[in-house]
Amino acid sequence: MQTNTYILGIESSCDDTAAAVIHNNKICSNVVATQKIHEAYGGVVPELASRAHQQNIVPVIHQALREANIDKKQLSAIAFTRGPGLMGSLLVGTSFAKSLAMGLNIPLIEVNHMQGHILAHFIDDGDNEKPNFPFLAMTISGGHTQIVKVSSHFEMEVIGETIDDAVGEAFDKSAKILGLPYPGGPLIDKYAQTGDPKRFPFTKPKVGPMDFSFSGLKTAVLYFVQREVKNNPNFIEENLEDICASLQYTIVSYLMDKIKNAVKHTGIKEIAIGGGVSANSGIRKALREAESKYNWKTHIPKFEYCTDNAAMIAIVGELKYKEQSFTNLNVSANARMKI
Ligand code: KG4
Ligand code: ZN
């Protein structure tokens, strides 16, 4: 199979409009337009997201082609996120990808967003060591929290997942309670740096050994803050660093407990993380420490491949292109697409 290909990846599953070009495993461009409009609402508003995708998609793709220094006629295929995600958002990327593939008369390749987060580890970025099969992938983002056993590029089995909120939601909703803007995850991480992680103990929710639950934690934060603010109206401002550090400590050690259980259950000691929350400094540090402590091998993606991006869609497109795994032009978006 020809490998001298240029593949365009398009991602529009949530609130980032993104396009990237990949050539022989290497990313030539990786453009992301993050929709700021949702900040004012404290979370993603689906209707506004799809409208913003419609405005952003053409300039974002143009920029990706320009930065890759190629003309659209040089493209070998179009890869796009078919799901899971917000239906209105997915529809924008899906229809655009279909029209572009049809207009250029080149293959269309559907990509599962969650597989994208996992397979982003196979992008060649110079100094990264790629995971060896089988490995465990923990996908932690604003929309999903899963532990996946990855036996080959396209053989994946979900062995644990959240029964309610995603871990990113736990960060964002707790941040909202603390009066921080959306998305609050990176801010909690920032304030946690200078706080005392043991100051305020939060209870870890109890579910199956490899499953997750975060809705109780959010409620615990709410009641805790309400109680303390009643006694001291300045409680949040005076203790923000310690609250954030304690919260981050609880979430990170909960994630680590689940990964340890998955290692015990599968005997696999090679672990890769993906999704926006893998940008968190606490989980990165905990994984690095576990490497030497438990003799694990861990893979942490580059920051730009952690949060939603199209480079991860383009790498899956390239892997599927090699297998000639193409998608019919009558495909439709699938908001609840499974791995
Ligand atoms: O993968 P992503 O960009 O979009 C989804 O598919 O959801 O993940 C976004 C999530 C948000 O919840 C955001 O708060 C969280 O990732 N996030 C973080 C950090 N950076 C992003 N959470 C904690 N610490 C961070 N440093
Ligand atoms: Zn994502």
Side-chain angles (χ1 to χ4, degrees):
M1 189 67 226
Q2 171 200 6
T3 53
N4 196 22
T5 53
Y6 284 99
I7 292 173
L8 174 71
I10 300 174
E11 154 66 30
S12 74
S13 65
C14 188
D15 60 342
D16 293 301
T17 320
V21 173
I22 193 166
H23 176 61
N24 298 347
N25 274 359
K26 289 205 172 56
I27 298 298
C28 313
S29 62
N30 185 24
V31 179
V32 184
T34 301
Q35 305 176 357
K36 294 273 174 223
I37 187 152
H38 307 288
E39 276 174 20
Y41 298 89
V44 178
V45 184
E47 177 54 32
L48 296 179
S50 53
R51 216 177 297 162
H53 283 306
Q54 285 171 17
Q55 283 161 357
N56 293 343
I57 197 154
V58 171
V60 163
I61 290 175
H62 267 151
Q63 194 180 334
L65 292 172
R66 201 166 47 239
E67 286 180 16
N69 211 8
I70 60 161
D71 185 83
K72 60 181 181 307
K73 295 201 179 71
Q74 286 170 267
L75 289 171
S76 320
I78 310 288
F80 72 101
T81 303
R82 184 180 173 204
L86 300 171
M87 195 48 159
S89 292
L90 290 166
L91 278 172
V92 178
T94 304
S95 349
F96 200 89
K98 282 163 68 169
S99 327
L100 199 53
M102 196 190 290
L104 295 169
N105 197 21
I106 54 176
L108 178 69
I109 301 171
E110 67 177 62
V111 175
N112 179 305
H113 180 87
M114 298 314 296
Q115 286 191 341
H117 275 304
I118 295 171
L119 297 174
H121 289 277
F122 292 89
I123 294 171
D124 223 341
D125 66 15
D127 49 5
N128 63 326
E129 207 184 315
K130 303 198 174 71
N132 297 293
F133 298 114
F135 65 92
L136 295 175
M138 183 165 69
T139 49
I140 40 180
S141 76
H144 355 256
T145 307
Q146 292 184 324
I147 299 180
V148 182
K149 182 180 163 193
V150 187
S151 304
S152 72
H153 286 133
F154 295 108
E155 231 179 301
M156 300 186 184
E157 184 197 351
V158 178
I159 58 170
E161 63 189 327
T162 183
I163 59 160
D164 43 52
D165 289 354
V167 58
E169 281 181 280
F171 272 107
D172 296 339
K173 289 178 179 173
S174 303
K176 194 175 177 183
I177 295 167
L178 298 173
L180 300 172
Y182 175 85
L187 291 167
I188 292 196
D189 193 3
K190 184 179 135 200
Y191 291 117
Q193 303 302 318
T194 42
D196 174 0
K198 302 279 176 70
R199 170 102 184 272
F200 303 113
F202 293 105
T203 316
K204 293 190 225 170
K206 285 190 186 55
V207 279
M210 293 183 287
D211 288 329
F212 305 81
S213 166
F214 290 101
S215 65
L217 187 60
K218 170 193 66 192
T219 316
V221 173
L222 178 67
Y223 290 161
F224 163 75
V225 168
Q226 281 177 342
R227 198 173 57 235
E228 296 293 337
V229 167
K230 222 180 257 171
N231 299 330
N232 170 12
N234 299 325
F235 175 77
I236 296 178
E237 298 85 87
E238 286 170 11
N239 298 282
L240 188 61
E241 281 96 347
D242 289 349
I243 304 171
C244 290
S246 302
L247 193 59
Q248 181 152 312
Y249 173 79
T250 308
I251 294 177
V252 168
S253 70
Y254 188 56
L255 294 176
M256 289 303 292
D257 289 349
K258 300 300 175 171
I259 271 287
K260 282 180 210 159
N261 291 343
V263 169
K264 210 183 285 170
H265 177 79
T266 60
I268 299 169
K269 290 184 163 192
E270 186 144 354
I271 292 125
I273 58 169
V277 180
S278 39
N280 182 266
S281 64
I283 189 71
R284 287 177 169 242
K285 184 161 170 272
L287 278 172
R288 288 280 177 247
E289 283 169 4
E291 245 188 350
S292 43
K293 193 165 170 199
Y294 306 115
N295 200 20
W296 293 357
K297 195 162 176 43
T298 64
H299 301 269
I300 302 173
K302 260 174 123 174
F303 186 79
E304 62 261 44
Y305 304 143
C306 285
T307 45
D308 283 351
N309 66 87
M312 68 186 199
I313 305 306
I315 182 73
V316 181
E318 195 174 68
L319 291 165
K320 285 194 167 184
Y321 189 90
K322 285 180 190 147
E323 294 184 359
Q324 298 245 286
S325 172
F326 301 143
T327 304
N328 199 295
L329 282 173
N330 61 18
V331 65
S332 49
N334 180 351
R336 302 189 155 269
M337 196 174 183
K338 297 265 179 268
I339 269 188

